[in-house]
Amino acid sequence: MSPGFQGRRRSSGPALPPGQYLTEDFPVLSAGPTPKVPLDTWEFVLGAESGAEFRWSWPEFTGLPQETPTVDIHCVTRWSKLGTSWQGVSLDALLDGVDTAARYALVHSYGGYTTNLPLDDLRGGRAWVVHTYDGAPLPAAHGGPARLLVPHLYLWKSAKWVRGIRLLVDDQPGFWETAGYHDYGDPWREQRYQGD
Ligand SMILES: Nc1nc2c(c(=O)[nH]1)N[C@H]1C(S)=C(S)[C@@H](COP(=O)(O)O)O[C@H]1N2
Ligand SMILES: [Mo]
């Protein structure tokens, strides 16, 4: 009997969602080429359903209050990576003062990639726009200058080279969701594909 082990397992839960395996390296998964995004033209645009737009240049964005999340990430191709360290701006900070009744968000990337999620999933300290990985500027292959990070959903929701988020009254599927991936993508409920 090992009550200590049992207790620890119960309080922290399993580390890996169902069907996932652990990886130590950091695979690159991109549906197309890596776009070049110069910092002097980079901007992040939040568009509300009213048409109102909120824009941040690179200096404005990096001047916002910073957070340093350490999170586990889970790719639908079944690899998971534990304890990844990032730095960036919480979506709570970006959404602060944005007047909206929208319930959905469509995330847009430089290069044309899109992905959708409920606006609530961007709130509550669960989503960031990150520019630093493991203490260094985010490599372009992993989404630099900046990517979305929403670790409680499969990693295809964490759009690389993020350029903006549109707030929508009606849900609108993104790139992989249109191709048959699950609309929500909760790794703990193994929502990989439509119908899961
Ligand atoms: N812009 C963009 N973002 C993207 C993708 C993409 O092809 N383009 N791929 C997604 C998928 S399927 C995964 S698993 C992760 C992979 O991130 P990584 O390459 O940093 O591991 O990015 C997601 N974000
Ligand atoms: Mo993925």
mmCIF file of all heavy atoms in Angstrom, residues 26-32 75 79 109-110 113 141-142 147 155-156 158-161 176, ligand 1:
data_model
loop_
_atom_site.group_PDB
_atom_site.id
_atom_site.type_symbol
_atom_site.label_atom_id
_atom_site.label_comp_id
_atom_site.label_asym_id
_atom_site.label_seq_id
_atom_site.Cartn_x
_atom_site.Cartn_y
_atom_site.Cartn_z
ATOM 1 N N PHE A 26 10.144 19.760 -28.814
ATOM 2 C CA PHE A 26 9.039 20.676 -29.131
ATOM 3 C C PHE A 26 8.798 20.595 -30.637
ATOM 4 O O PHE A 26 9.410 21.320 -31.417
ATOM 5 C CB PHE A 26 9.405 22.091 -28.693
ATOM 6 C CG PHE A 26 8.244 23.061 -28.626
ATOM 7 C CD1 PHE A 26 8.412 24.317 -28.062
ATOM 8 C CD2 PHE A 26 6.977 22.721 -29.097
ATOM 9 C CE1 PHE A 26 7.361 25.226 -27.994
ATOM 10 C CE2 PHE A 26 5.923 23.613 -29.032
ATOM 11 C CZ PHE A 26 6.118 24.872 -28.471
ATOM 12 N N PRO A 27 7.919 19.673 -31.062
ATOM 13 C CA PRO A 27 7.645 19.526 -32.499
ATOM 14 C C PRO A 27 7.084 20.816 -33.087
ATOM 15 O O PRO A 27 6.468 21.611 -32.373
ATOM 16 C CB PRO A 27 6.578 18.421 -32.545
ATOM 17 C CG PRO A 27 6.646 17.737 -31.214
ATOM 18 C CD PRO A 27 7.096 18.771 -30.235
ATOM 19 N N VAL A 28 7.323 21.015 -34.371
ATOM 20 C CA VAL A 28 6.737 22.149 -35.102
ATOM 21 C C VAL A 28 5.632 21.613 -35.994
ATOM 22 O O VAL A 28 5.861 20.683 -36.771
ATOM 23 C CB VAL A 28 7.797 22.875 -35.956
ATOM 24 C CG1 VAL A 28 7.146 23.880 -36.895
ATOM 25 C CG2 VAL A 28 8.821 23.581 -35.057
ATOM 26 N N LEU A 29 4.421 22.155 -35.853
ATOM 27 C CA LEU A 29 3.306 21.767 -36.713
ATOM 28 C C LEU A 29 2.687 23.007 -37.332
ATOM 29 O O LEU A 29 2.078 23.816 -36.635
ATOM 30 C CB LEU A 29 2.249 20.988 -35.927
ATOM 31 C CG LEU A 29 2.623 19.517 -35.700
ATOM 32 C CD1 LEU A 29 3.139 19.300 -34.309
ATOM 33 C CD2 LEU A 29 1.450 18.628 -35.991
ATOM 34 N N SER A 30 2.875 23.174 -38.625
ATOM 35 C CA SER A 30 2.336 24.318 -39.350
ATOM 36 C C SER A 30 1.660 23.824 -40.620
ATOM 37 O O SER A 30 2.195 22.954 -41.306
ATOM 38 C CB SER A 30 3.441 25.307 -39.724
ATOM 39 O OG SER A 30 4.174 25.698 -38.576
ATOM 40 N N ALA A 31 0.499 24.409 -40.922
ATOM 41 C CA ALA A 31 -0.247 24.011 -42.114
ATOM 42 C C ALA A 31 0.313 24.663 -43.378
ATOM 43 O O ALA A 31 -0.058 24.303 -44.482
ATOM 44 C CB ALA A 31 -1.719 24.366 -41.950
ATOM 45 N N GLY A 32 1.202 25.625 -43.239
ATOM 46 C CA GLY A 32 1.779 26.317 -44.391
ATOM 47 C C GLY A 32 3.141 26.862 -44.035
ATOM 48 O O GLY A 32 3.696 26.504 -42.995
ATOM 49 N N CYS A 75 -1.183 18.491 -28.144
ATOM 50 C CA CYS A 75 -1.489 18.542 -29.569
ATOM 51 C C CYS A 75 -2.401 17.386 -29.936
ATOM 52 O O CYS A 75 -2.269 16.275 -29.414
ATOM 53 C CB CYS A 75 -0.201 18.473 -30.389
ATOM 54 S SG CYS A 75 -0.503 18.415 -32.175
ATOM 55 N N TRP A 79 0.907 14.316 -29.048
ATOM 56 C CA TRP A 79 2.001 14.618 -28.129
ATOM 57 C C TRP A 79 1.569 15.682 -27.135
ATOM 58 O O TRP A 79 0.762 16.568 -27.451
ATOM 59 C CB TRP A 79 3.280 15.046 -28.860
ATOM 60 C CG TRP A 79 3.180 16.255 -29.761
ATOM 61 C CD1 TRP A 79 2.924 16.254 -31.094
ATOM 62 C CD2 TRP A 79 3.330 17.641 -29.397
ATOM 63 N NE1 TRP A 79 2.903 17.545 -31.582
ATOM 64 C CE2 TRP A 79 3.163 18.404 -30.568
ATOM 65 C CE3 TRP A 79 3.604 18.294 -28.190
ATOM 66 C CZ2 TRP A 79 3.254 19.799 -30.565
ATOM 67 C CZ3 TRP A 79 3.685 19.689 -28.189
ATOM 68 C CH2 TRP A 79 3.520 20.416 -29.367
ATOM 69 N N SER A 109 -4.466 34.819 -38.013
ATOM 70 C CA SER A 109 -3.005 34.830 -38.012
ATOM 71 C C SER A 109 -2.463 35.490 -39.266
ATOM 72 O O SER A 109 -3.098 35.432 -40.325
ATOM 73 C CB SER A 109 -2.465 33.401 -37.954
ATOM 74 O OG SER A 109 -2.792 32.785 -36.727
ATOM 75 N N TYR A 110 -1.260 36.077 -39.156
ATOM 76 C CA TYR A 110 -0.489 36.397 -40.348
ATOM 77 C C TYR A 110 -0.291 35.086 -41.111
ATOM 78 O O TYR A 110 0.054 34.066 -40.515
ATOM 79 C CB TYR A 110 0.857 37.002 -39.964
ATOM 80 C CG TYR A 110 0.737 38.396 -39.383
ATOM 81 C CD1 TYR A 110 0.746 38.588 -38.005
ATOM 82 C CD2 TYR A 110 0.606 39.494 -40.216
ATOM 83 C CE1 TYR A 110 0.633 39.867 -37.473
ATOM 84 C CE2 TYR A 110 0.491 40.772 -39.704
ATOM 85 C CZ TYR A 110 0.500 40.947 -38.329
ATOM 86 O OH TYR A 110 0.385 42.207 -37.801
ATOM 87 N N TYR A 113 -4.116 31.639 -41.356
ATOM 88 C CA TYR A 113 -4.707 30.624 -40.467
ATOM 89 C C TYR A 113 -5.765 31.273 -39.572
ATOM 90 O O TYR A 113 -5.627 32.432 -39.164
ATOM 91 C CB TYR A 113 -3.599 30.030 -39.608
ATOM 92 C CG TYR A 113 -3.978 28.907 -38.680
ATOM 93 C CD1 TYR A 113 -4.011 27.598 -39.118
ATOM 94 C CD2 TYR A 113 -4.266 29.145 -37.337
ATOM 95 C CE1 TYR A 113 -4.316 26.546 -38.263
ATOM 96 C CE2 TYR A 113 -4.568 28.106 -36.465
ATOM 97 C CZ TYR A 113 -4.588 26.814 -36.938
ATOM 98 O OH TYR A 113 -4.892 25.784 -36.081
ATOM 99 N N ALA A 141 9.256 29.637 -36.073
ATOM 100 C CA ALA A 141 8.607 28.354 -36.355
ATOM 101 C C ALA A 141 7.519 28.038 -35.338
ATOM 102 O O ALA A 141 6.531 27.361 -35.648
ATOM 103 C CB ALA A 141 9.642 27.237 -36.378
ATOM 104 N N HIS A 142 7.686 28.524 -34.100
ATOM 105 C CA HIS A 142 6.701 28.288 -33.044
ATOM 106 C C HIS A 142 5.710 29.447 -32.909
ATOM 107 O O HIS A 142 4.954 29.503 -31.936
ATOM 108 C CB HIS A 142 7.392 28.025 -31.715
ATOM 109 C CG HIS A 142 8.025 26.662 -31.625
ATOM 110 N ND1 HIS A 142 7.311 25.495 -31.731
ATOM 111 C CD2 HIS A 142 9.312 26.281 -31.466
ATOM 112 C CE1 HIS A 142 8.131 24.452 -31.621
ATOM 113 N NE2 HIS A 142 9.355 24.902 -31.467
ATOM 114 N N ARG A 147 2.221 34.495 -30.494
ATOM 115 C CA ARG A 147 1.171 33.517 -30.750
ATOM 116 C C ARG A 147 0.158 33.555 -29.617
ATOM 117 O O ARG A 147 0.451 34.014 -28.510
ATOM 118 C CB ARG A 147 1.739 32.112 -30.865
ATOM 119 C CG ARG A 147 2.077 31.481 -29.502
ATOM 120 C CD ARG A 147 2.662 30.091 -29.616
ATOM 121 N NE ARG A 147 1.728 29.133 -30.192
ATOM 122 C CZ ARG A 147 2.081 27.923 -30.625
ATOM 123 N NH1 ARG A 147 3.339 27.535 -30.533
ATOM 124 N NH2 ARG A 147 1.183 27.112 -31.118
ATOM 125 N N LEU A 155 -3.822 22.185 -29.019
ATOM 126 C CA LEU A 155 -2.894 23.252 -29.408
ATOM 127 C C LEU A 155 -3.219 23.897 -30.754
ATOM 128 O O LEU A 155 -2.702 24.967 -31.070
ATOM 129 C CB LEU A 155 -1.461 22.701 -29.409
ATOM 130 C CG LEU A 155 -0.321 23.707 -29.280
ATOM 131 C CD1 LEU A 155 -0.446 24.550 -28.032
ATOM 132 C CD2 LEU A 155 1.019 22.990 -29.316
ATOM 133 N N TRP A 156 -4.100 23.272 -31.559
ATOM 134 C CA TRP A 156 -4.424 23.945 -32.830
ATOM 135 C C TRP A 156 -5.188 25.239 -32.568
ATOM 136 O O TRP A 156 -5.247 26.111 -33.435
ATOM 137 C CB TRP A 156 -5.161 23.008 -33.794
ATOM 138 C CG TRP A 156 -6.650 22.950 -33.689
ATOM 139 C CD1 TRP A 156 -7.546 23.882 -34.152
ATOM 140 C CD2 TRP A 156 -7.442 21.895 -33.118
ATOM 141 N NE1 TRP A 156 -8.835 23.467 -33.894
ATOM 142 C CE2 TRP A 156 -8.793 22.248 -33.263
ATOM 143 C CE3 TRP A 156 -7.119 20.680 -32.491
ATOM 144 C CZ2 TRP A 156 -9.834 21.441 -32.801
ATOM 145 C CZ3 TRP A 156 -8.165 19.874 -32.045
ATOM 146 C CH2 TRP A 156 -9.496 20.254 -32.200
ATOM 147 N N SER A 158 -4.218 27.386 -30.386
ATOM 148 C CA SER A 158 -3.192 28.372 -30.027
ATOM 149 C C SER A 158 -2.525 28.883 -31.299
ATOM 150 O O SER A 158 -1.431 28.452 -31.679
ATOM 151 C CB SER A 158 -2.156 27.735 -29.083
ATOM 152 O OG SER A 158 -2.745 27.411 -27.840
ATOM 153 N N ALA A 159 -3.202 29.813 -31.968
ATOM 154 C CA ALA A 159 -2.781 30.293 -33.282
ATOM 155 C C ALA A 159 -1.396 30.927 -33.224
ATOM 156 O O ALA A 159 -1.146 31.832 -32.417
ATOM 157 C CB ALA A 159 -3.792 31.296 -33.821
ATOM 158 N N LYS A 160 -0.503 30.442 -34.101
ATOM 159 C CA LYS A 160 0.820 31.044 -34.233
ATOM 160 C C LYS A 160 0.709 32.307 -35.105
ATOM 161 O O LYS A 160 -0.210 32.449 -35.889
ATOM 162 C CB LYS A 160 1.785 30.031 -34.851
ATOM 163 C CG LYS A 160 1.845 28.727 -34.049
ATOM 164 C CD LYS A 160 3.035 27.868 -34.377
ATOM 165 C CE LYS A 160 2.895 27.106 -35.672
ATOM 166 N NZ LYS A 160 4.020 26.115 -35.829
ATOM 167 N N TRP A 161 1.672 33.204 -34.980
ATOM 168 C CA TRP A 161 1.726 34.467 -35.758
ATOM 169 C C TRP A 161 0.401 35.224 -35.653
ATOM 170 O O TRP A 161 -0.110 35.775 -36.633
ATOM 171 C CB TRP A 161 2.056 34.163 -37.221
ATOM 172 C CG TRP A 161 3.151 33.155 -37.340
ATOM 173 C CD1 TRP A 161 4.452 33.296 -36.917
ATOM 174 C CD2 TRP A 161 3.051 31.823 -37.899
ATOM 175 N NE1 TRP A 161 5.153 32.140 -37.178
ATOM 176 C CE2 TRP A 161 4.334 31.236 -37.783
ATOM 177 C CE3 TRP A 161 2.019 31.086 -38.485
ATOM 178 C CZ2 TRP A 161 4.591 29.926 -38.225
ATOM 179 C CZ3 TRP A 161 2.270 29.801 -38.926
ATOM 180 C CH2 TRP A 161 3.543 29.230 -38.796
ATOM 181 N N TRP A 176 -8.939 24.462 -39.183
ATOM 182 C CA TRP A 176 -9.044 23.022 -38.892
ATOM 183 C C TRP A 176 -10.463 22.619 -38.541
ATOM 184 O O TRP A 176 -10.892 21.487 -38.808
ATOM 185 C CB TRP A 176 -8.087 22.612 -37.767
ATOM 186 C CG TRP A 176 -6.661 22.511 -38.221
ATOM 187 C CD1 TRP A 176 -5.596 23.244 -37.767
ATOM 188 C CD2 TRP A 176 -6.133 21.620 -39.228
ATOM 189 N NE1 TRP A 176 -4.458 22.868 -38.437
ATOM 190 C CE2 TRP A 176 -4.752 21.881 -39.324
ATOM 191 C CE3 TRP A 176 -6.706 20.641 -40.049
ATOM 192 C CZ2 TRP A 176 -3.924 21.194 -40.218
ATOM 193 C CZ3 TRP A 176 -5.878 19.957 -40.929
ATOM 194 C CH2 TRP A 176 -4.499 20.236 -40.999
HETATM 195 N N1 LIG B 1 -0.927 30.206 -37.755
HETATM 196 C C1 LIG B 1 -0.907 28.908 -37.428
HETATM 197 N N2 LIG B 1 -1.069 28.573 -36.137
HETATM 198 C C2 LIG B 1 -1.059 27.272 -35.782
HETATM 199 C C3 LIG B 1 -0.908 26.252 -36.731
HETATM 200 C C4 LIG B 1 -0.747 26.639 -38.083
HETATM 201 O O1 LIG B 1 -0.599 25.800 -38.990
HETATM 202 N N3 LIG B 1 -0.749 27.976 -38.399
HETATM 203 N N4 LIG B 1 -0.922 24.933 -36.338
HETATM 204 C C5 LIG B 1 -1.599 24.634 -35.079
HETATM 205 C C6 LIG B 1 -1.366 23.277 -34.632
HETATM 206 S S1 LIG B 1 -2.224 22.035 -35.394
HETATM 207 C C7 LIG B 1 -0.544 23.011 -33.575
HETATM 208 S S2 LIG B 1 -0.393 21.458 -32.936
HETATM 209 C C8 LIG B 1 0.297 24.074 -32.975
HETATM 210 C C9 LIG B 1 1.724 23.673 -33.075
HETATM 211 O O2 LIG B 1 2.540 24.627 -32.458
HETATM 212 P P1 LIG B 1 4.098 24.395 -32.524
HETATM 213 O O3 LIG B 1 4.474 24.313 -33.988
HETATM 214 O O4 LIG B 1 4.700 25.548 -31.818
HETATM 215 O O5 LIG B 1 4.362 23.082 -31.825
HETATM 216 O O6 LIG B 1 0.127 25.327 -33.600
HETATM 217 C C10 LIG B 1 -1.180 25.622 -33.986
HETATM 218 N N5 LIG B 1 -1.214 26.974 -34.456
#
